[in-house]
Amino acid sequence: MVECGATVSKVDPAVFYWVDSSDQVYGILACHVDDFIWGGDQEFEDIISKIKSTFKVGKESDNSFKYCGIDLLCDDNVIYLSQDSYTDGLTVIDISATRSVDKSAKLTAEEGHVLRSKVGQLLWLAHQSRPDLLFDVTKIANNLNKGSVGDILDINKIICKAKNSKLRLKFQSVSANLNEGVLHVVLYTDAALGNMPDGGSQAGYLIMLAGDSGTFSPICWNSKKIRRVVRSTLAAETLAMAEGIDASIFICTLLGELVYGKPEANLFPIVCFTDCKSLHDALKSPKIVSEKRLHLEISGIKEQLQKGQVKRVEWISSDLQLADCLTKKGAANNELRKALHSGVLTT
């Protein structure tokens, strides 16, 4: 790739991009093992021809194809991503009515093996295209060593939900103006205190690229157990935001390369949304919180605000918190699904 004029991404060595004499990025290529995916202008076609003369190409597709188990469709300059074919292939775990009666019963070795397999399949699906399923799967995954019949019943419900309520993600041009500073990264963070089976707390975040008109394209999301024991909702929400900002800075650096040819995170300011009023107020107040370890995390977020990497932190009501379903069982995901389907933010 380098011999063909590529620059290797500093944050992801599997990503390559090409910059012209005017410092404009005109082609991008990413690879996974021996699968390549690329996009660019007409000039980039010549580069691709050189690459294809070097590598043996078994199959080539454009506009509508499957890449690493993900269905991609390009239509009228909008890219749609889904995993309908993968979801259709999922099957529930066969379990008898008699066995289902005692939900607390421990699993046999064979049942545990099958459950692990299904959890792995669903985790991959949830991380790639179904954020609305991620928390429910993660909660079971975190308790696999103590798996029960109830977990099999729950995983079957998730599989049925995945098959009956499919989702297609929309990736679009978010702004006609690509001047530095116009595009920004939007970050929703949320946390739930002590809601995991072992008493731990869960954090979740959703990251997207947005322009000046409210349109956006989703970038990534996560739901994970908070790395240490926390004593308050404020602590849980603070650690969730710190985790989300860290991931966002990584994304901003990669976007800086792919949009402007510069590995600089500050080209994309971050706008954070939280439904935790106490965190929002703590970030605006000069007062020091009583919990010493928490003070360090809040100071870190304040530092990013002072540097301008985080442009602002806004409070929103819980019904507008798109990351809510990433941390709580049964949390409504209608707003998240609606936003992902339309590609438009209402906050």
Side-chain angles (χ1 to χ4, degrees), residues 109-162:
E110 176 62 23
E111 288 172 334
H113 174 74
V114 175
L115 178 62
R116 279 183 167 81
S117 175
K118 295 299 179 183
V119 166
Q121 292 174 1
L122 286 170
L123 277 175
W124 187 73
L125 172 67
H127 277 294
Q128 299 301 314
S129 65
R130 295 297 301 269
D132 56 320
L133 304 176
L134 185 53
F135 173 75
D136 291 339
V137 185
T138 300
K139 187 172 183 179
I140 297 174
N142 286 340
N143 200 43
L144 278 176
N145 291 334
K146 300 178 181 178
S148 66
V149 168
D151 291 323
I152 288 182
L153 299 178
D154 286 341
I155 212 74
N156 282 346
K157 289 178 182 177
I158 298 171
I159 291 172
C160 291
K161 180 180 178 181

Coordinates of all heavy atoms in Angstrom, one line a residue, residues 109-162:
A109 N -22.9 -28.9 31.3 CA -21.7 -28.5 30.6 C -22.1 -28.2 29.1 O -21.6 -27.3 28.5 CB -20.6 -29.6 30.6
E110 N -22.9 -29.1 28.6 CA -23.4 -28.9 27.2 C -24.2 -27.6 27.0 O -24.0 -26.9 26.1 CB -24.2 -30.1 26.7 CG -24.8 -30.0 25.3 CD -23.7 -29.9 24.2 OE1 -22.6 -30.3 24.5 OE2 -24.0 -29.3 23.1
E111 N -25.1 -27.4 28.0 CA -25.9 -26.2 27.9 C -25.1 -24.9 28.0 O -25.3 -23.9 27.3 CB -27.0 -26.2 29.0 CG -28.1 -27.2 28.8 CD -29.0 -27.4 30.0 OE1 -28.5 -27.1 31.1 OE2 -30.2 -27.8 29.8
G112 N -24.1 -25.0 28.9 CA -23.2 -23.9 29.1 C -22.4 -23.6 27.8 O -22.2 -22.4 27.4
H113 N -22.0 -24.6 27.1 CA -21.2 -24.5 25.9 C -22.1 -23.8 24.8 O -21.7 -22.9 24.1 CB -20.7 -25.8 25.4 CG -20.1 -25.8 24.0 ND1 -18.8 -25.3 23.8 CD2 -20.6 -26.2 22.8 CE1 -18.5 -25.3 22.5 NE2 -19.6 -25.9 21.9
V114 N -23.4 -24.3 24.7 CA -24.3 -23.7 23.7 C -24.6 -22.2 24.0 O -24.6 -21.4 23.1 CB -25.6 -24.5 23.6 CG1 -26.6 -23.9 22.7 CG2 -25.3 -25.9 23.2
L115 N -24.8 -22.0 25.3 CA -25.1 -20.6 25.7 C -23.9 -19.6 25.4 O -24.2 -18.5 24.9 CB -25.4 -20.5 27.2 CG -25.7 -19.1 27.8 CD1 -26.9 -18.5 27.2 CD2 -25.8 -19.2 29.3
R116 N -22.7 -20.1 25.6 CA -21.5 -19.3 25.3 C -21.5 -19.0 23.8 O -21.2 -17.9 23.4 CB -20.3 -20.0 25.7 CG -19.9 -19.8 27.2 CD -18.6 -20.5 27.6 NE -18.1 -20.1 28.9 CZ -18.6 -20.6 30.0 NH1 -19.5 -21.5 30.0 NH2 -18.1 -20.1 31.2
S117 N -21.8 -20.0 23.0 CA -21.8 -19.8 21.6 C -22.8 -18.7 21.1 O -22.5 -17.9 20.3 CB -22.1 -21.1 20.9 OG -22.2 -21.0 19.5
K118 N -24.0 -18.8 21.7 CA -25.1 -17.9 21.3 C -24.7 -16.4 21.8 O -25.0 -15.5 21.1 CB -26.4 -18.3 21.9 CG -27.0 -19.6 21.4 CD -27.2 -19.5 19.9 CE -27.7 -20.8 19.3 NZ -27.9 -20.8 17.8
V119 N -24.1 -16.3 23.0 CA -23.7 -15.0 23.5 C -22.7 -14.4 22.6 O -22.7 -13.2 22.3 CB -23.2 -15.2 25.0 CG1 -22.5 -13.9 25.4 CG2 -24.3 -15.4 25.9
G120 N -21.7 -15.2 22.1 CA -20.7 -14.7 21.2 C -21.3 -14.2 19.9 O -20.9 -13.2 19.4
Q121 N -22.3 -15.0 19.4 CA -22.9 -14.6 18.1 C -23.7 -13.2 18.3 O -23.6 -12.4 17.5 CB -23.9 -15.7 17.7 CG -23.2 -16.9 17.2 CD -24.3 -18.0 16.9 OE1 -25.5 -17.8 17.0 NE2 -23.8 -19.2 16.5
L122 N -24.4 -13.1 19.4 CA -25.2 -11.9 19.7 C -24.3 -10.7 20.0 O -24.6 -9.6 19.7 CB -26.2 -12.2 20.8 CG -27.4 -13.0 20.4 CD1 -28.2 -13.4 21.6 CD2 -28.3 -12.3 19.3
L123 N -23.2 -10.9 20.7 CA -22.3 -9.8 21.0 C -21.7 -9.2 19.7 O -21.6 -8.0 19.6 CB -21.1 -10.3 21.9 CG -21.4 -10.4 23.4 CD1 -20.2 -11.0 24.2 CD2 -21.8 -9.0 24.0
W124 N -21.4 -10.1 18.8 CA -20.8 -9.6 17.5 C -21.9 -8.8 16.8 O -21.6 -7.7 16.3 CB -20.3 -10.8 16.7 CG -19.6 -10.3 15.5 CD1 -18.4 -9.7 15.4 CD2 -20.1 -10.3 14.1 NE1 -18.1 -9.4 14.1 CE2 -19.1 -9.8 13.3 CE3 -21.3 -10.8 13.5 CZ2 -19.3 -9.6 11.9 CZ3 -21.5 -10.6 12.2 CH2 -20.5 -10.1 11.4
L125 N -23.1 -9.3 16.8 CA -24.2 -8.6 16.1 C -24.4 -7.3 16.8 O -24.6 -6.2 16.1 CB -25.5 -9.5 16.2 CG -26.8 -8.8 15.7 CD1 -26.7 -8.5 14.2 CD2 -28.0 -9.7 16.1
A126 N -24.5 -7.3 18.1 CA -24.8 -6.0 18.8 C -23.7 -5.0 18.7 O -24.0 -3.8 18.6 CB -25.0 -6.3 20.3
H127 N -22.5 -5.4 18.6 CA -21.4 -4.4 18.5 C -21.3 -3.9 17.0 O -20.8 -2.7 16.8 CB -20.0 -5.1 18.9 CG -19.8 -5.0 20.3 ND1 -19.6 -3.9 21.0 CD2 -19.7 -6.1 21.2 CE1 -19.4 -4.2 22.3 NE2 -19.4 -5.5 22.5
Q128 N -21.7 -4.7 16.1 CA -21.6 -4.2 14.7 C -22.8 -3.4 14.2 O -22.6 -2.4 13.5 CB -21.5 -5.5 13.8 CG -20.3 -6.3 14.0 CD -19.0 -5.6 13.9 OE1 -18.8 -4.8 13.0 NE2 -18.1 -5.7 14.9
S129 N -24.0 -3.8 14.6 CA -25.2 -3.1 14.0 C -26.4 -3.0 14.9 O -27.4 -2.3 14.5 CB -25.6 -3.8 12.8 OG -26.1 -5.1 13.1
R130 N -26.4 -3.6 16.1 CA -27.6 -3.6 17.0 C -27.3 -3.1 18.4 O -27.3 -3.8 19.4 CB -28.2 -5.0 17.0 CG -28.7 -5.5 15.7 CD -29.9 -4.6 15.2 NE -31.0 -4.6 16.1 CZ -32.0 -5.4 16.1 NH1 -32.0 -6.4 15.2 NH2 -33.0 -5.3 16.9
P131 N -27.0 -1.8 18.6 CA -26.8 -1.3 19.9 C -28.0 -1.5 20.8 O -27.8 -1.5 22.1 CB -26.5 0.2 19.7 CG -27.1 0.5 18.3 CD -26.9 -0.7 17.5
D132 N -29.2 -1.6 20.3 CA -30.4 -1.8 21.1 C -30.4 -3.1 21.8 O -31.1 -3.3 22.8 CB -31.6 -1.6 20.2 CG -31.6 -2.6 19.0 OD1 -30.6 -2.7 18.4 OD2 -32.7 -3.1 18.7
L133 N -29.5 -4.0 21.4 CA -29.5 -5.4 22.0 C -28.3 -5.5 23.0 O -28.2 -6.5 23.7 CB -29.4 -6.5 20.9 CG -30.4 -6.5 19.8 CD1 -30.1 -7.6 18.8 CD2 -31.8 -6.8 20.4
L134 N -27.4 -4.6 22.9 CA -26.0 -4.8 23.5 C -26.1 -5.0 25.1 O -25.4 -5.9 25.6 CB -25.1 -3.6 23.2 CG -23.7 -3.7 23.7 CD1 -23.1 -5.0 23.2 CD2 -22.8 -2.5 23.2
F135 N -26.9 -4.2 25.8 CA -26.9 -4.3 27.2 C -27.4 -5.7 27.7 O -26.8 -6.4 28.5 CB -27.7 -3.2 27.9 CG -27.8 -3.5 29.4 CD1 -26.8 -3.3 30.3 CD2 -29.0 -4.0 29.9 CE1 -26.9 -3.5 31.6 CE2 -29.1 -4.3 31.3 CZ -28.1 -4.0 32.1
D136 N -28.5 -6.1 27.1 CA -29.1 -7.4 27.5 C -28.1 -8.6 27.2 O -28.0 -9.5 28.1 CB -30.4 -7.6 26.7 CG -31.5 -6.7 27.1 OD1 -31.4 -6.1 28.2 OD2 -32.4 -6.5 26.3
V137 N -27.4 -8.5 26.1 CA -26.4 -9.6 25.9 C -25.2 -9.5 26.8 O -24.8 -10.5 27.4 CB -25.9 -9.5 24.4 CG1 -25.0 -10.7 24.1 CG2 -27.1 -9.5 23.4
T138 N -24.8 -8.3 27.0 CA -23.6 -8.0 27.9 C -23.9 -8.5 29.3 O -23.0 -9.1 30.0 CB -23.2 -6.5 27.9 OG1 -22.9 -6.1 26.6 CG2 -22.0 -6.3 28.8
K139 N -25.1 -8.3 29.8 CA -25.5 -8.7 31.2 C -25.4 -10.2 31.3 O -24.9 -10.7 32.3 CB -26.9 -8.2 31.5 CG -27.3 -8.4 32.9 CD -28.6 -7.8 33.3 CE -28.9 -8.0 34.7 NZ -30.2 -7.3 35.1
I140 N -25.8 -10.9 30.3 CA -25.7 -12.4 30.4 C -24.2 -12.8 30.2 O -23.7 -13.7 30.9 CB -26.5 -13.0 29.3 CG1 -28.0 -12.7 29.5 CG2 -26.3 -14.6 29.2 CD1 -28.9 -13.2 28.4
A141 N -23.5 -12.1 29.4 CA -22.1 -12.5 29.1 C -21.2 -12.3 30.4 O -20.3 -13.1 30.7 CB -21.5 -11.6 28.0
N142 N -21.6 -11.3 31.2 CA -20.8 -11.0 32.4 C -21.1 -12.1 33.5 O -20.4 -12.1 34.5 CB -21.1 -9.6 33.0 CG -20.5 -8.5 32.1 OD1 -19.6 -8.8 31.4 ND2 -21.1 -7.3 32.2
N143 N -22.1 -12.9 33.3 CA -22.5 -13.9 34.3 C -22.4 -15.3 33.8 O -23.0 -16.2 34.4 CB -23.9 -13.6 34.8 CG -24.2 -14.1 36.2 OD1 -23.3 -14.1 37.1 ND2 -25.3 -14.7 36.4
L144 N -21.6 -15.5 32.8 CA -21.6 -16.9 32.2 C -21.1 -18.0 33.1 O -21.6 -19.1 33.0 CB -20.8 -16.8 30.9 CG -21.4 -16.3 29.6 CD1 -20.5 -16.3 28.5 CD2 -22.6 -17.2 29.2
N145 N -20.2 -17.6 34.0 CA -19.7 -18.6 34.9 C -20.7 -19.1 35.9 O -20.5 -20.2 36.5 CB -18.5 -18.1 35.6 CG -17.3 -17.9 34.8 OD1 -17.1 -18.5 33.7 ND2 -16.4 -16.9 35.1
K146 N -21.8 -18.4 36.0 CA -22.8 -18.8 36.9 C -24.2 -18.9 36.1 O -25.2 -18.6 36.6 CB -23.0 -17.8 38.1 CG -21.8 -17.6 38.9 CD -22.0 -16.5 40.0 CE -20.7 -16.3 40.8 NZ -20.9 -15.2 41.8
G147 N -24.0 -19.3 34.9 CA -25.2 -19.4 34.0 C -26.3 -20.3 34.5 O -26.0 -21.4 35.2
S148 N -27.5 -19.9 34.3 CA -28.7 -20.7 34.7 C -29.6 -20.9 33.6 O -29.5 -20.4 32.5 CB -29.4 -20.0 35.9 OG -29.9 -18.8 35.4
V149 N -30.7 -21.7 33.8 CA -31.7 -21.9 32.8 C -32.3 -20.6 32.4 O -32.7 -20.4 31.3 CB -32.8 -22.9 33.3 CG1 -34.0 -22.9 32.4 CG2 -32.2 -24.3 33.4
G150 N -32.5 -19.7 33.4 CA -33.0 -18.4 33.1 C -32.3 -17.6 32.1 O -32.8 -16.9 31.2
D151 N -30.9 -17.8 32.0 CA -30.1 -17.2 31.0 C -30.4 -17.7 29.6 O -30.4 -16.9 28.6 CB -28.6 -17.4 31.4 CG -28.2 -16.6 32.6 OD1 -28.7 -15.5 32.8 OD2 -27.4 -17.1 33.4
I152 N -30.7 -19.0 29.5 CA -31.0 -19.6 28.2 C -32.3 -19.0 27.7 O -32.5 -18.6 26.6 CB -31.1 -21.1 28.3 CG1 -29.7 -21.7 28.4 CG2 -31.8 -21.7 27.1 CD1 -29.7 -23.2 28.5
L153 N -33.3 -18.9 28.7 CA -34.6 -18.3 28.3 C -34.4 -16.8 27.9 O -35.1 -16.4 26.9 CB -35.6 -18.4 29.5 CG -35.9 -19.8 29.9 CD1 -36.8 -19.8 31.1 CD2 -36.5 -20.7 28.8
D154 N -33.6 -16.1 28.6 CA -33.3 -14.7 28.2 C -32.6 -14.6 26.9 O -33.0 -13.7 26.1 CB -32.5 -14.0 29.3 CG -33.3 -13.8 30.6 OD1 -34.5 -13.8 30.5 OD2 -32.7 -13.5 31.7
I155 N -31.7 -15.4 26.6 CA -30.9 -15.3 25.4 C -31.9 -15.7 24.2 O -31.8 -15.1 23.1 CB -29.7 -16.2 25.3 CG1 -28.6 -15.6 24.5 CG2 -29.9 -17.6 24.8 CD1 -27.9 -14.4 25.1
N156 N -32.8 -16.6 24.4 CA -33.8 -16.9 23.4 C -34.7 -15.7 23.1 O -35.1 -15.5 21.9 CB -34.6 -18.1 23.8 CG -33.9 -19.4 23.6 OD1 -32.8 -19.5 22.9 ND2 -34.4 -20.5 24.2
K157 N -35.0 -15.0 24.2 CA -35.9 -13.8 24.0 C -35.1 -12.8 23.1 O -35.7 -12.1 22.3 CB -36.2 -13.2 25.3 CG -37.2 -14.0 26.1 CD -37.5 -13.4 27.5 CE -38.5 -14.2 28.3 NZ -38.7 -13.6 29.6
I158 N -33.8 -12.6 23.4 CA -33.0 -11.6 22.7 C -32.9 -12.0 21.2 O -33.0 -11.2 20.3 CB -31.6 -11.5 23.3 CG1 -31.7 -11.0 24.7 CG2 -30.7 -10.6 22.4 CD1 -30.4 -11.0 25.5
I159 N -32.7 -13.3 20.9 CA -32.7 -13.8 19.5 C -34.0 -13.5 18.8 O -34.0 -13.0 17.7 CB -32.4 -15.3 19.5 CG1 -30.9 -15.5 20.0 CG2 -32.5 -15.9 18.1 CD1 -30.5 -17.0 20.2
C160 N -35.1 -13.8 19.5 CA -36.4 -13.5 18.9 C -36.6 -12.0 18.6 O -37.1 -11.6 17.6 CB -37.5 -14.0 19.8 SG -37.6 -15.8 19.9
K161 N -36.1 -11.2 19.6 CA -36.2 -9.8 19.4 C -35.4 -9.3 18.2 O -35.8 -8.4 17.4 CB -35.7 -9.1 20.7 CG -35.8 -7.6 20.7 CD -35.3 -7.0 22.0 CE -35.3 -5.4 22.0 NZ -34.8 -4.9 23.3
A162 N -34.2 -9.8 18.1 CA -33.3 -9.5 17.0 C -34.0 -9.8 15.6 O -33.9 -9.0 14.7 CB -32.0 -10.2 17.1

